[in-house]
Amino acid sequence: WVLTAHAAAPAGGFRLAPVFGHNMVLQQTVGGIDQTEIWGWAPPGLRIQVDLTGQKFVSAKYDSKTGQWRASWKKLATGGPFNIEFFNGSARTEANRLDFLTNVVVGEVWVLGSGPTPLAALHPDRVSGLIEQMMNRAGGGFRIVAASSIGQMTSADATAVPWQVAQPGDLVARPRFRNQAAHLAHALLAKTPAVGSGRIHHGGRGSSPSKR
């Protein structure tokens, strides 16, 4: 794995949820709603503004009971790569910058466990071929991130989980996940996949990939 992390420690107690990081895929829709979200935690008093390349500044909503902030965009098109910057207030100055992310794409994120799939009986060459086709069609926008559980990626106590810009061999070489990746490839190749396909895999067992 290629390990990447925030360039510096977040300032002033501002934190992103561990699932968000450099090289990530930002989920285009949430719960079937055409809305893209990013969130984390912060101390009270910050006026968090989020700047995504090519988009207007977005003001984050803050929950004083949980200390959680959340920012969203509506009808965000797939594509990238983009940068995301987080500021305290509307002035885009280094002094006001809380954190930043680079090489972010907008697309679809899928969760894969390590259990068997209906494609598990496929010949290894067929599995490899499906994965390679899927990733080639994604045009270099395919990213992967590994975690022991979904909780590791959303808990306030967890550390950031690094995303990796993936190559076909990164999936084929991992026996626990390549059949699930082939199952996902089989489903995505049946339609035109969006730019910036993402993949989160974790230690839980499951029969098929699920969309986040």
Side-chain angles (χ1 to χ4, degrees), residues 22 83 192:
H22 298 295
N83 293 330
T192 302

Side-chain angles (χ1 to χ4, degrees), residues 76-207:
L76 196 61
T78 59
F82 304 114
N83 293 330
I84 306 177
E85 294 184 279
F86 305 86
F87 295 94
N88 179 21
S90 58
R92 293 191 231 185
T93 65
E94 187 65 28
N96 286 352
R97 189 165 70 176
L98 298 166
D99 205 350
F100 69 95
L101 300 174
T102 60
N103 198 29
V104 174
V105 293
V106 177
E108 301 296 336
V109 176
W110 296 79
V111 178
L112 277 68
S114 58
T117 77
L119 296 180
L122 284 177
H123 189 278
D125 290 344
R126 176 60 174 153
V127 169
S128 300
L130 282 168
I131 293 171
E132 189 164 355
Q133 287 181 57
M134 171 179 64
M135 297 182 71
N136 287 340
R137 194 174 295 185
F142 202 92
R143 317 290 172 88
I144 55 177
V145 61
S148 59
S149 67
I150 295 299
Q152 184 188 353
M153 309 192 76
T154 58
S155 170
D157 299 324
T159 56
V161 184
W163 286 79
Q164 174 187 347
V165 179
Q167 303 298 324
D170 296 326
L171 304 186
V172 174
R174 300 178 70 85
R176 292 178 60 204
F177 301 106
R178 64 186 173 204
N179 287 317
Q180 284 250 337
H183 186 92
L184 173 61
H186 188 269
L188 291 181
L189 289 170
K191 61 178 182 178
T192 302
V195 174
S197 296
R199 175 174 175 265
I200 297 175
H201 60 64
H202 61 92
R205 300 185 65 83
S207 60

